[in-house]
């Protein structure tokens, strides 16, 4: 991030990058979140009472395997968002891509008074347009990554456990 940039642009790019981090984490690790939410909901409702100790050991092994696989899947798919990508995302929302234009340099006609004056006018216009920079709202596009909405089933199960599960099961009794 260029320290000479106006604070508003740095703020917009920084918040956009933070949103891109959320997008990347959500896109990569939503299966792990579903596994953990379903396991926590099952534990809150006392699912351990339904199985023998031998079956419970096997079930815990399967859950651990599912969690490890989901974590591995997430690690493999995670891509760290760069500042340049966040800057480009903000730039694409503005007319004329002013953030890119402000980093351009005059090559042809440098040293010519008319070309220099025109270039300064162009940069002044791009600074004016760039001053309207706003953070771009994140969208992890989970509705396409999870077409059967398993993530929502996990969240509903977890919320139901928090609302309806006996307090004894939640460790408060």
């Amino acid at each position: 991030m260029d320290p000479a940039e106006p604070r508003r642009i740095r703020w917009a790019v920084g918040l956009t990058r933070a949103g891109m981090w959320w997008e990347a984490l959500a896109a990569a690790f939503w299966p792990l979140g579903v596994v953990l939410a379903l396991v926590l909901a099952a534990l809150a409702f006392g699912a351990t009472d339904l199985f023998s100790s031998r079956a419970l050991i096997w079930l815990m092994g399967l859950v651990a395997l599912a969690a490890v696989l989901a974590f591995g899947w997430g690690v493999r798919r995670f891509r760290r968002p760069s500042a340049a990508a966040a800057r480009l995302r903000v730039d694409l929302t503005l007319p004329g891509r002013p953030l890119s234009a402000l980093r351009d340099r005059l090559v042809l006609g440098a040293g010519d008074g008319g070309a220099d004056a025109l270039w300064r006018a162009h940069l002044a216009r791009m600074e004016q347009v760039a001053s309207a920079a706003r953070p771009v709202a994140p969208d992890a596009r989970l509705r396409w990554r999870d077409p059967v909405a398993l993530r929502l089933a996990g969240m509903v199960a977890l919320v139901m456990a928090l609302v309806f599960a006996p307090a004894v099961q939640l460790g408060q009794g």
Side-chain angles (χ1 to χ4, degrees), residues 36-46 154 157-158 161 165:
L36 294 178
L38 290 175
V39 167
L40 288 173
L43 290 174
F45 280 116
L158 187 58

Side-chain angles (χ1 to χ4, degrees), residues 5-6 8-9 87 90-106 117-134:
E5 278 185 342
R8 181 175 198 97
I9 294 172
R87 184 179 177 79
V90 171
D91 200 18
L92 290 172
T93 65
L94 299 168
R97 296 189 56 193
L99 301 181
S100 296
L102 289 172
R103 290 194 169 187
D104 290 343
R105 298 292 167 245
L106 179 62
L118 183 60
W119 185 250
R120 283 191 302 277
H122 169 67
L123 290 180
R125 172 73 179 126
M126 290 297 105
E127 285 177 2
Q128 180 184 5
V129 174
S131 69
R134 302 276 186 278

Side-chain angles (χ1 to χ4, degrees), residues 29-123:
F29 292 103
W30 71 264
L32 179 61
V34 170
V35 169
L36 294 178
L38 290 175
V39 167
L40 288 173
L43 290 174
F45 280 116
T48 56
D49 298 338
L50 301 174
F51 300 99
S52 67
S53 59
R54 170 170 262 167
L56 194 57
I57 290 173
W58 280 99
L59 191 59
M60 287 182 349
L62 286 174
V63 166
L65 178 64
V68 166
L69 289 175
F71 180 76
W73 190 84
V75 167
R76 189 167 163 248
R77 296 205 178 261
F78 179 74
R79 299 291 177 263
R80 189 175 68 105
S82 67
R87 184 179 177 79
L88 178 62
R89 186 177 285 190
V90 171
D91 200 18
L92 290 172
T93 65
L94 299 168
R97 296 189 56 193
L99 301 181
S100 296
L102 289 172
R103 290 194 169 187
D104 290 343
R105 298 292 167 245
L106 179 62
V107 176
L108 295 176
D112 177 29
D116 287 339
L118 183 60
W119 185 250
R120 283 191 302 277
H122 169 67
L123 290 180

